[in-house]
Amino acid sequence: MPTDSIAPPEDVSSKVDIPPVEDLLSIAVEAVGGVERPGQIKMVQAVQHSIESGDHLAVQAGTGTGKSLAYLIPSIRHAMTSEGAVVVSTATIALQRQLVDRDLPRLAEALAPQLPHEPKFAILKGRRNYLCRYKASAGWPDDEQDQLFDPREVNATGRMVQRIQDWANETETGDRDELVPGVNEQAWRQFSVSARECLGATRCPSGPECFAELARARAGEADVVVTNHALLAIDAMEDFPLLPEHDVVVVDEAHELVDRVTSVVTGELSENMVSLAVRRVGRLIDQPTSDRLMESGEDLKALLAAAPAGRLDELPQVLGMTLALVRDSAWACITSLGPRMGADKDDPEGAGLRKAAFTALDEIHDTAQRMLDAFGHAEEIDRAEVVWLEAGTERRPPLLRVAPLTVAGMLRDKLFGDRTVILTSATLALGGAFDGLARQWGLGSGDGAKDEARLTASTANGETGDEPKNGARDGAKDGAKARPRKRAGWTGMDVGSPFDHPRSGILYVAKHLPQPGRDGLPEAYLDEITELIEAAGGRTLGLFSSMRAAKAATEALRDRLSVPLLCQGDDSTMLLVKQFAEDEPTCLFGTLSLWQGVDVPGPSLRLVIIDRIPFPRPDDPLSSARQRHVAAKGGNGFMAVAATHAALLLAQGAGRLLRSQHDKGVVAILDPRLATARYGSFLRDSLPPFWPTNDPAKVRDALKRLGSS
């Protein structure tokens, strides 16, 4: 054993006679009426090895692999032999509900006879997702009173508020997602608080019956806690823990981790936020001090209304002065409020109002300071954040945003530092390698093929990680908090897919078409789409790079086609997808949420059309700034940012085609650059291994044969 290694904790699973993960998998698969797959077996062994060795694991598992069982079984086994929980983080509510409502109950029941006790599980979300009993009864000021200008919208929100009040008297969880139909954000905010606004369970009059605290208590008793990427990021970055003690994290839908974390740490500043703070501070401080804050908000409003939208590479003098004025007037209000704790210990309502005021003022002060700090660097390589102005809409005024140029260091230090992390998705190996996403996660580059070979050999030989590389996690399985370890290694592996992609699907690149332009879809594209849909007899999911393109194609083709054509926005996305799935000839056109959110197995989907390579817009402030920053450090900004973004979306979009073993069809990409550009091979290598062709006649013939079969 290398002298600088830290020995892993003793594997005490044998002391409680828990079967190995392979046996547990067989039991679970039989209980749910499934069939074990080679990729699933390989993944369950890899996850177990990662937990034992302390090395992080990035595992790509194609649709149909059964990856949920493959990571849940080793997670449950680990939880049985330690006092901490295993945290499973997802990007979507749909997967959270699938895990908690279907996968975990069936798995817990099936494995219970083989374990010390039946596994317990819980779902935990951010505090904003739970109804706050105290705020609902305390009559706090309406945060949205100046935000709604349409009388019809005001009336609709009023009805939602009444529905929330009725639901509050009967709900057992206070979970917003259980309120069906849902309500808009304006209504919900009147009944919820953020973690920073919360008084705390010991100070709040409703503390003993707080829905958020009850959810945390349930999570504290669970073996598996299901949460989301946003809460995972907040828990990692905050000084106070939100999640129960844990030393293993599974990140499902890991391809979305960077975007979700970036969203959490992106700050914004607008006149509306300043107005909200002024309302909250109300009569708690002297009026001249609050008036100065109001005046600074009016200055900000006038300045942003006159400024062009886009990225700010230099700080205009007038904006710098205005941001400083906003910051200083917010600080004056904070100072006037006095001590943060103890001033209202005998007045819970006053304490709640003060806490809400502090929260709003802190956000304004800190964000303004953060924006000022983003400028003034001598070299581009020294820049850490980017600031941009986002144009206003009919519903909201313009606002300033600030975001980090990378979250890699944050994730490396806060998420990966003292726990083992398993990252999984159907799309992780971009261009055939894991290094691109690994760098974004802060894990750095690595020899994924070498690591996979080592991992496969060790799991096949039954090794348990007694000689971990790079210093595995230290800490007893008695639940003690593991101390920060030396940088653990990471492994990237692709366990494949149960689908026979070359026999089941065709990748068609329309090489003969002109390159897409900025003036909408060329007529040649519309002709191509028409011919493909007619050959397929409908049954088409059209994925477009913008809503404008989706709507333009819909309007142009409805008169040309004899099959029903739906467009995202015609109704709720859920209802449109349902209609698309139930009526075979129907086609559905849409944009981003359809690229990743549609699961339609069977004959209703035979053709996926992608209009163009989904690069980020050239004027996208964050993406363009990140490209420039990578280039300043000597890298290829286009490949590291724009091409990686496009590869992820292309792979996700192409993945809509095969959703079951019997599915067949065509993925048609109309953008010829996929075949002709230098970066085309990187993008193609990121896609499932369909049979490739550039011949439109072959594709139309194949679609006609499928339609008649």
Side-chain angles (χ1 to χ4, degrees):
M1 179 183 297
T3 57
D4 62 347
S5 293
I6 302 173
E10 178 187 3
D11 184 357
V12 298
S13 60
S14 59
K15 295 180 181 179
V16 290
D17 199 26
I18 299 178
V21 289
E22 295 87 350
D23 293 350
L24 294 177
L25 177 62
S26 297
I27 294 168
V29 170
E30 182 179 357
V32 300
V35 177
E36 286 188 52
R37 302 180 177 97
Q40 189 180 47
I41 296 171
K42 187 177 181 182
M43 181 173 173
V44 80
Q45 293 172 336
V47 174
Q48 177 67 16
H49 183 273
S50 177
I51 291 173
E52 291 173 347
S53 70
D55 281 357
H56 307 302
L57 172 67
V59 54
Q60 178 166 283
T63 302
T65 301
K67 62 182 172 66
S68 296
L69 282 184
Y71 65 67
L72 287 174
I73 286 172
S75 297
I76 290 173
R77 190 178 188 275
H78 175 70
M80 293 293 111
T81 59
S82 67
E83 294 184 6
V86 171
V87 171
V88 176
S89 177
T90 76
T92 61
I93 293 174
L95 182 53
Q96 289 176 36
R97 295 258 57 106
Q98 175 188 313
L99 291 172
V100 173
D101 296 340
R102 190 189 73 179
D103 295 348
L104 280 167
R106 296 162 70 184
L107 187 57
E109 181 180 1
L111 298 185
Q114 310 296 325
L115 302 174
H117 62 263
E118 182 169 330
K120 300 177 183 178
F121 52 90
I123 188 168
L124 187 61
K125 305 174 184 178
R127 191 171 291 270
R128 273 270 187 209
N129 292 277
Y130 299 98
L131 182 139
C132 174
R133 290 186 186 273
Y134 177 56
K135 188 172 184 179
S137 62
W140 287 9
D142 180 1
D143 287 350
E144 303 295 333
Q145 63 182 10
D146 292 336
Q147 310 271 337
L148 301 173
F149 304 102
D150 187 338
R152 291 171 298 179
E153 191 165 349
V154 172
N155 291 335
T157 298
R159 290 191 293 270
M160 291 178 186
V161 167
Q162 182 59 54
R163 199 151 54 80
I164 297 172
Q165 291 172 335
D166 296 340
W167 172 75
N169 296 323
E170 60 187 42
T171 178
E172 295 182 358
T173 65
D175 186 338
R176 178 181 180 178
D177 292 327
E178 295 182 9
L179 179 59
V180 179
V183 297
N184 63 29
E185 188 65 19
Q186 287 84 1
W188 183 253
R189 282 183 182 174
Q190 298 181 42
F191 296 87
S192 67
V193 297
S194 67
R196 294 185 180 276
E197 292 170 324
C198 177
L199 284 174
T202 59
R203 300 179 65 212
C204 178
S206 301
E209 54 183 2
C210 172
F211 288 124
E213 291 298 325
L214 291 173
R216 287 190 67 192
R218 289 191 293 269
E221 297 175 355
D223 300 299
V224 177
V225 178
V226 179
T227 188
N228 54 63
H229 295 350
L231 187 61
L232 180 70
I234 295 170
D235 175 75
M237 291 180 289
E238 293 288 358
D239 295 331
F240 49 88
L242 301 174
L243 295 168
E245 188 73 23
H246 61 283
D247 61 356
V248 174
V249 176
V250 178
V251 181
D252 203 342
E253 301 173 310
H255 62 280
E256 294 204 42
L257 179 63
V258 169
D259 285 346
R260 298 300 174 108
V261 173
T262 299
S263 179
V264 167
V265 297
T266 295
E268 62 180 51
L269 189 61
S270 69
E271 181 268 336
N272 276 358
M273 293 176 61
V274 178
S275 296
L276 170 61
V278 171
R279 289 199 301 273
R280 284 189 174 182
V281 84
R283 300 175 182 176
L284 299 176
I285 64 173
D286 61 281
Q287 187 169 342
T289 302
S290 63
D291 284 349
R292 285 198 295 273
L293 178 60
M294 182 175 65
E295 291 165 2
S296 72
E298 292 172 350
D299 290 345
L300 181 67
K301 176 183 179 180
L303 181 60
L304 298 187
R311 191 181 71 211
L312 297 172
D313 293 331
E314 302 293 338
L315 180 63
Q317 183 179 8
V318 64
L319 177 59
M321 294 172 59
T322 303
L323 287 174
L325 179 62
V326 170
R327 177 199 61 192
D328 294 344
S329 56
W331 181 253
C333 291
I334 292 171
T335 303
S336 294
L337 276 172
R340 291 176 181 263
M341 304 293 290
D344 301 289
K345 61 181 180 179
D346 298 324
D347 178 15
E349 182 174 349
L353 295 174
R354 283 168 52 81
K355 189 70 179 288
F358 272 123
T359 300
L361 292 167
D362 284 340
E363 184 174 5
I364 290 171
H365 174 274
D366 295 349
T367 303
Q369 184 61 58
R370 188 175 158 192
M371 290 175 175
L372 290 168
D373 291 342
F375 299 96
H377 302 288
E379 302 289 341
E380 173 61 31
I381 197 172
D382 298 324
R383 192 191 299 265
E385 299 202 285
V386 58
V387 178
W388 71 95
L389 174 60
E390 193 168 294
T393 66
E394 292 182 0
R395 297 174 57 87
R396 63 159 182 79
L399 54 84
L400 284 171
R401 292 189 186 274
V402 57
L405 288 167
T406 175
V407 295
M410 191 182 308
L411 289 173
R412 180 182 62 244
D413 297 339
K414 302 295 186 179
L415 178 60
F416 296 100
D418 60 356
R419 54 180 61 87
T420 301
V421 183
I422 292 97
L423 306 111
T424 185
S425 169
T427 309
L428 292 181
L430 303 179
F434 293 84
D435 290 357
L437 284 180
R439 281 190 291 268
Q440 292 187 11
W441 296 328
L443 294 179
S445 300
D447 187 346
K450 176 181 176 181
D451 281 348
E452 180 173 346
R454 176 188 61 78
L455 179 65
T456 302
S458 62
T459 54
N461 294 332
E463 296 176 15
T464 59
D466 289 336
E467 295 188 7
K469 70 183 182 68
N470 297 338
R473 173 174 31 83
D474 177 48
K477 290 225 177 185
D478 59 1
K481 177 76 171 178
R483 74 169 183 261
R485 59 187 176 198
K486 296 180 180 180
R487 181 77 56 81
W490 68 274
T491 297
M493 68 183 308
D494 184 353
V495 300
S497 168
F499 302 153
D500 188 346
H501 285 91
R503 290 181 176 272
S504 300
I506 296 173
L507 174 64
Y508 166 53
V509 180
K511 188 177 179 179
H512 63 282
L513 291 179
Q515 287 194 20
R518 297 185 178 182
D519 300 325
L521 290 171
E523 188 67 23
Y525 279 49
L526 297 174
D527 292 340
E528 186 81 22
I529 294 172
T530 301
E531 292 172 357
L532 289 169
I533 291 177
E534 288 177 343
R539 303 177 176 88
T540 299
L541 177 65
L543 302 177
F544 293 84
S545 55
S546 69
M547 184 55 72
R548 185 180 69 172
K551 289 181 176 179
T554 302
E555 293 174 5
L557 297 179
R558 271 185 172 146
D559 292 337
R560 297 193 193 187
L561 297 172
S562 59
V563 296
L565 177 53
L566 307 175
C567 184
Q568 190 175 2
D570 291 346
D571 206 331
S572 74
T573 299
M574 181 179 67
L575 291 176
L576 289 173
V577 172
K578 184 174 184 291
Q579 185 177 346
F580 171 61
E582 292 177 350
D583 184 27
E584 284 189 24
T586 297
C587 302
L588 175 60
F589 287 1
T591 185
L592 191 59
S593 62
L594 298 186
W595 285 72
Q596 304 183 79
V598 175
D599 186 6
V600 181
S604 292
L605 179 52
R606 293 297 194 210
L607 173 63
V608 175
I609 295 177
I610 297 175
D611 70 328
R612 63 190 298 161
I613 298 172
F615 292 121
R617 290 171 53 96
D619 59 353
D620 178 83
L622 183 55
S623 175
S624 60
R626 284 178 165 173
Q627 289 187 58
R628 184 180 62 181
H629 191 66
V630 171
K633 296 167 68 175
N636 186 322
F638 171 78
M639 293 301 296
V641 179
T644 295
H645 172 92
L648 272 174
L649 276 181
L650 274 179
Q652 288 287 310
R656 300 309 97 200
L657 180 66
L658 303 184
R659 309 303 296 178
S660 74
Q661 292 276 11
H662 305 293
D663 289 349
K664 295 180 182 295
V666 172
V667 173
I669 300 177
L670 307 184
D671 191 334
R673 293 175 295 176
L674 192 65
T676 60
R678 292 176 59 187
Y679 51 78
S681 60
F682 171 79
L683 299 177
R684 293 194 302 273
D685 288 345
S686 305
L687 297 174
F690 298 117
W691 184 78
T693 184
N694 303 129
D695 189 334
K698 289 182 178 178
V699 171
R700 291 194 295 269
D701 288 344
L703 288 170
K704 290 175 182 176
R705 288 195 299 271
L706 277 177
S708 61
S709 61

